[in-house]
């Protein structure tokens, strides 16, 4: 994602954890010089967490999947594992950040307020530098768990955390408050999954071969966002909010926002979606717009499912999605997280074949075929 300002900040890699607002940063991190070299030359990052790798039979890569979905009445317990891949792609600098926490209990080293199954993931696509993406990445989960509504009302606590992170960033004198970031997070809390999004990153659930989008892309030209922007006095020039920004929601970008408490066309408020995980929910793909600019949600699910059936490794799966996006000519940074909900690879999708000459295909198989056709287009 790019702004209309034309400058880019350097790439910095920060370890997992939280930072205070007064945390020291490198002496050059507050500058906005055009063409500034990256702080860190590493431009590719891969990670995998608690993956249980099995050795499934290598399937023929045709139509694959499962016989029938669960009725939801079983005592199903998800088993969380994840992998990620981030690469700067054709851009000069890397401005994406991401976070993968497969166990909140281990991350916080305490049990109060957390179920035995708890995880957190985030993709933050920065623009105008990395300050906003780094700050939100390091602090958003802290703001969620410290919110008075947590854990009784997860959606309210997450919404409050986004707004608090946005305001806290504006009040931090050690950062460049004109930098900005989109923010896509997923909180797994028991069998509850809550996705929050502000910007054009996207979360897609793989459900027995079918892609189910769990977030909306906040582009200025989308009908709901256009109406909201125009009602607040904003304008859209050639698809850019106020002629400057290609997204309509983001944290940071305080040169485009008014004082605290005033409504403005660029919003840091997330949209949230909550689902209850079932047995046919196989995996979640979280990616920045560098992935979705060149690939449909169904195509990504099809590729991911095929990869997981072969090697059952979410890191290799995320790496393959990045590789495919680069092959298709993406023009942006790339960050992909794949979260699996089972230790086993996805099962085969069975083609229904009733008696006689007629042939039919299950809905899962149909979605898989659509993904294959989309991937070859």
């Amino acid at each position: 994602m790019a702004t209309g300002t034309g400058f880019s900040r350097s790439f910095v890699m920060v370890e997992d954890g939280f930072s205070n607002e007064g945390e020291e940063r490198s002496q050059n991190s507050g500058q906005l010089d055009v063409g500034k070299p990256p702080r860190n030359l590493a431009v590719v990052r891969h990670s995998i967490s608690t993956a249980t790798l099995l050795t499934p039979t290598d399937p023929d890569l045709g139509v694959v999947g499962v016989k029938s979905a669960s009725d939801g009445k079983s005592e199903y317990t998800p088993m969380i594992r994840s992998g990620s891949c981030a690469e700067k792609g054709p851009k000069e600098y890397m401005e994406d950040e991401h976070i993968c926490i497969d166990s909140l209990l281990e991350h916080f080293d305490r049990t109060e307020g957390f179920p035995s199954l708890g995880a957190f993931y985030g993709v933050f696509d920065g623009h105008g530098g990395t300050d906003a993406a780094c700050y939100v990445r390091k602090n958003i989960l802290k703001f969620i768990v410290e919110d008075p509504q947590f854990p009784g009302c997860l959606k309210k606590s997450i919404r409050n955390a986004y707004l608090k992170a946005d305001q806290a960033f504006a009040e931090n004198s050690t950062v460049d408050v004109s930098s900005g970031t989109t923010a896509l997070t997923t909180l797994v809390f028991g069998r509850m999954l809550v996705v929050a999004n502000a910007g054009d990153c996207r979360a897609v659930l793989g459900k027995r071969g079918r892609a189910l989008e769990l977030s909306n892309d906040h582009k200025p030209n989308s009908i709901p966002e256009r109406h909201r922007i125009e009602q607040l006095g904003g304008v859209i020039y050639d698809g850019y909010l106020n002629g400057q920004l290609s997204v309509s929601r983001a944290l940071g970008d305080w040169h485009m926002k008014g004082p605290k408490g005033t409504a403005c066309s660029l919003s840091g408020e997330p949209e949230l979606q909550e689902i209850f995980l079932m047995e046919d929910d196989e995996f979640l793909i979280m990616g920045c717009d560098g992935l979705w600019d060149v690939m449909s949600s169904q195509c990504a699910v099809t590729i991911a499912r095929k990869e997981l059936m072969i090697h059952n490794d979410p890191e290799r799966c995320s790496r393959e999605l990045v590789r495919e996006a680069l092959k298709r000519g993406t023009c942006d940074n790339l960050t992909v997280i794949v979260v699996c909900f089972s230790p086993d690879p996805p099962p085969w999708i069975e083609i229904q074949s009733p008696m006689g000459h007629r042939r039919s295909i299950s809905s899962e198989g149909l979605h898989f075929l659509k993904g294959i056709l989309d991937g070859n287009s």
Side-chain angles (χ1 to χ4, degrees):
M1 181 199 59
T3 66
T5 55
F7 58 79
S8 176
R9 289 289 306 279
S10 60
F11 163 65
V12 61
M13 189 168 173
V14 184
E15 294 298 324
D16 283 342
F18 300 129
S19 67
N20 295 320
E21 292 183 2
E23 181 185 30
E24 290 186 11
R25 303 179 309 132
S26 79
Q27 59 182 358
N28 294 326
S29 59
Q31 300 177 0
L32 281 175
D33 297 336
V34 175
K36 187 172 103 179
R39 299 177 209 160
N40 191 315
L41 294 179
V43 295
V44 181
R45 292 173 289 173
H46 307 294
S47 68
I48 185 169
S49 303
T50 63
T52 304
L53 302 183
L54 306 180
T55 309
T57 302
D58 191 359
D60 176 69
L61 298 181
V63 179
V64 289
V66 72
K67 292 184 178 180
S68 62
S70 167
D71 60 6
K73 298 179 181 179
S74 66
E75 296 299 323
Y76 165 67
T77 300
M79 294 184 66
I80 305 295
R81 55 199 179 95
S82 68
S84 64
C85 179
E87 185 170 343
K88 76 178 183 69
K91 295 189 72 174
E92 186 176 4
Y93 303 129
M94 180 63 165
E95 295 180 303
D96 287 359
E97 292 288 337
H98 70 283
I99 184 170
C100 295
I101 300 173
D102 285 340
S103 173
L104 292 177
L105 294 180
E106 294 179 7
H107 182 78
F108 288 105
D109 194 26
R110 63 186 177 92
T111 59
E112 311 89 75
F114 298 105
S116 58
L117 177 66
F120 183 78
Y121 308 93
V123 176
F124 312 100
D125 185 351
H127 49 265
T130 60
D131 279 14
C134 288
Y135 182 86
V136 175
R137 173 189 180 273
K138 291 187 292 182
N139 290 281
I140 189 67
L141 180 56
K142 179 183 70 171
F143 289 146
I144 292 173
V145 300
E146 290 180 353
D147 187 81
Q149 300 284 345
F150 182 86
C153 186
L154 295 178
K155 294 176 72 173
K156 285 186 178 180
S157 62
I158 294 171
R159 176 189 176 276
N160 293 342
Y162 269 63
L163 298 177
K164 183 176 181 180
D166 196 18
Q167 188 61 42
F169 178 74
E171 297 170 355
N172 192 321
S173 61
T174 67
V175 297
D176 172 22
V177 297
S178 67
S179 67
T181 185
T182 65
L184 171 69
T185 61
T186 297
L187 177 65
V188 182
F189 211 73
R191 287 179 63 179
M192 193 64 65
L193 185 147
V194 185
V195 173
N197 183 51
D200 57 0
C201 294
R202 189 186 306 169
V204 180
L205 183 68
K207 195 176 184 72
R208 292 295 194 247
R210 179 168 59 95
L212 178 62
E213 294 182 354
L214 299 183
S215 64
N216 295 314
D217 300 347
H218 295 136
K219 298 286 193 181
N221 277 331
S222 70
I223 294 176
E225 291 299 285
R226 175 180 283 274
H227 288 167
R228 182 184 63 80
I229 290 168
E230 291 175 347
Q231 287 175 357
L232 293 171
V235 293
I236 301 171
Y237 295 112
D238 196 25
Y240 285 77
L241 174 60
N242 295 339
Q244 300 181 62
L245 200 60
S246 64
V247 293
S248 55
R249 301 196 191 197
L251 280 64
D253 294 300
W254 278 95
H255 62 295
M256 296 180 62
K257 296 177 179 176
K260 181 180 179 181
T262 61
C264 60
S265 53
L266 177 62
S267 174
E269 183 169 354
E271 284 189 314
L272 297 104
Q273 184 159 338
E274 184 179 85
I275 68 166
F276 193 67
L277 289 171
M278 310 296 287
E279 286 185 75
D280 55 356
D281 297 327
E282 296 173 331
F283 55 86
L284 180 74
I285 301 172
M286 300 173 64
C288 66
D289 63 323
L291 176 69
W292 309 114
D293 285 345
V294 295
M295 191 180 302
S296 71
S297 297
Q298 183 60 57
C299 179
V301 166
T302 299
I303 292 173
R305 197 173 199 275
K306 181 181 70 175
E307 290 293 316
L308 290 171
M309 290 187 66
I310 297 171
H311 49 66
N312 198 30
D313 183 341
E315 179 190 6
R316 290 177 61 183
C317 183
S318 63
R319 191 186 310 152
E320 176 60 26
L321 287 169
V322 167
R323 188 198 68 81
E324 180 65 24
L326 288 171
K327 187 173 72 173
R328 293 176 179 225
T330 186
C331 298
D332 208 344
N333 297 149
L334 283 161
T335 299
V336 176
I337 298 174
V338 176
V339 184
C340 295
F341 304 119
S342 169
D344 303 318
W348 291 76
I349 291 175
E350 183 178 85
I351 303 297
Q352 306 294 333
S353 181
M355 296 294 292
H357 296 290
R358 296 182 60 189
R359 294 290 184 270
S360 65
I361 185 172
S362 65
S363 60
E364 294 88 353
L366 179 60
H367 286 296
F368 196 92
L369 284 174
K370 287 180 178 177
I372 292 174
L373 294 173
D374 182 33
N376 291 330
S377 62

